[in-house]
Amino acid sequence: MRIDVLGVGFDNLTMEEAVEQGMLLLHSEGAHYVVTPNPEIVEVCRESREAMTAVNGADLVLPDGIGVIKGAAMLGTPLKEKTPGIEFAAHIVERMAREGLSLYLLGAKPGVAEQAAKNLAARYPGLKIAGTHDGYFKDDGPVVEEIRQSGADCVFVCLGAPKQELWMAKNGPATGAHLLCGLGGSLDVFAGVVERAPKFWSDHGLEWFYRLCKEPKRIGRMMKLPLFLVHVKQEKRKK
Ligand code: UDP
């Protein structure tokens, strides 16, 4: 059973369990998708029924950061641990490399997915890169066809939220891949374009603050974090 945080149902798994689950999906018939909502995405879902349906329709819903963990605890239904999308992705890539499976990278600015592919292939020998495509395209059709032709087992879909969640819900089955993972800005990190916050910051639940200092233009988006906490408090009172 999923744990409800303001309408989004989260799977209550450790990172190890989430990766096991992801690999099971990757080896199952049909298309499956994984989403990794943070408080900002939960707020987006509250404003858009379409986004909420796409997120809750995922086969795995993983709490990306400390905000969701705090929210769940405040509501009296704690989640085991945070399972950041980028770390989940790195574990999945490692397992795929061991099994010689193929990965398609979709998203980010032109050139970024190619660089991420080079870095991942160098770091995880055995990984097959099925192909790459930037995230600034108009028609889904040709991109879906390219992925299908590539025979990719798994696709990292990094178009930002809620675009990537809607994209996976709509196009997942037509890609022919068994697992699609919506991973926000992860390709920028894998490509070395954007740094992750040092461990100190993430260990103290302050990764958001580090990112804000590096990219002050995120302030508008980040105002959703206090809003999320206000909504959690309101929900708690209702309970
Ligand atoms: N992006 C994209 N297509 C779009 C809009 C965004 O490929 O139409 C990419 C963008 O270049 C970035 C990622 O999606 O690489 C979103 O990053 P963001 O930092 O917003 O994601 P977060 O990790 O915060 O969810």
Side-chain angles (χ1 to χ4, degrees):
M1 210 184 63
R2 285 182 172 168
I3 290 194
D4 183 282
V5 179
L6 303 181
V8 174
F10 285 89
D11 287 294
N12 190 16
L13 303 170
T14 62
M15 179 60 90
E16 211 181 317
E17 290 165 344
V19 173
E20 277 319 312
Q21 201 62 37
M23 290 310 290
L24 272 178
L25 294 171
L26 184 44
H27 287 294
S28 315
E29 283 296 309
H32 314 273
Y33 67 98
V34 183
V35 296
T36 60
N38 56 20
E40 185 191 330
I41 301 178
V42 173
E43 284 300 319
V44 168
C45 289
R46 285 169 58 88
E47 286 159 19
S48 154
R49 184 190 288 260
E50 230 191 331
M52 187 67 99
T53 305
V55 165
N56 280 332
D59 297 86
L60 260 185
V61 183
L62 304 175
D64 186 63
I66 196 72
V68 173
I69 300 297
K70 288 235 157 90
M74 281 163 73
L75 291 167
T77 47
L79 284 157
K80 287 181 188 167
E81 64 182 9
K82 65 174 172 166
T83 45
I86 183 106
E87 288 171 27
F88 172 79
H91 288 297
I92 290 286
V93 171
E94 193 186 349
R95 296 280 294 265
M96 287 181 65
R98 265 194 253 156
E99 298 182 26
L101 298 173
S102 68
L103 174 67
Y104 193 102
L105 303 179
L106 173 64
K109 299 206 173 107
V112 174
E114 283 95 323
Q115 187 57 50
K118 276 190 202 143
N119 294 355
L120 288 174
R123 171 114 195 250
Y124 300 100
L127 177 72
K128 291 195 185 110
I129 299 292
T132 61
H133 199 292
D134 68 73
Y136 296 86
F137 51 89
K138 275 209 185 83
D139 300 327
D140 292 349
V143 178
V144 170
E145 184 54 23
E146 198 181 302
I147 298 173
R148 205 185 59 76
Q149 294 270 353
S150 80
D153 299 298
C154 177
V155 189
F156 287 177
V157 184
C158 303
L159 306 172
K163 197 170 173 184
Q164 62 203 7
E165 288 76 13
L166 298 171
W167 198 92
M168 292 189 294
K170 179 172 166 222
N171 298 304
T175 63
H178 293 301
L179 186 70
L180 298 98
C181 307
L183 296 166
S186 298
L187 293 184
D188 297 302
V189 177
F190 287 136
V193 176
V194 169
E195 266 175 69
R196 266 203 91 190
K199 201 171 170 302
F200 169 84
W201 298 87
S202 50
D203 281 354
H204 290 80
L206 290 169
E207 185 153 11
W208 61 273
F209 182 66
Y210 180 86
R211 286 187 83 178
L212 182 59
C213 294
K214 287 258 168 177
E215 296 171 73
K217 66 176 190 303
R218 296 178 79 93
I219 186 72
R221 289 175 50 175
M222 284 196 173
M223 288 315 287
K224 287 216 157 78
L225 186 63
L227 192 65
F228 170 81
L229 292 173
V230 168
H231 288 148
V232 168
K233 281 198 178 135
Q234 284 172 350
E235 184 67 26
K236 194 177 163 187
R237 251 180 258 133
K238 265 198 251 160
K239 277 188 166 180

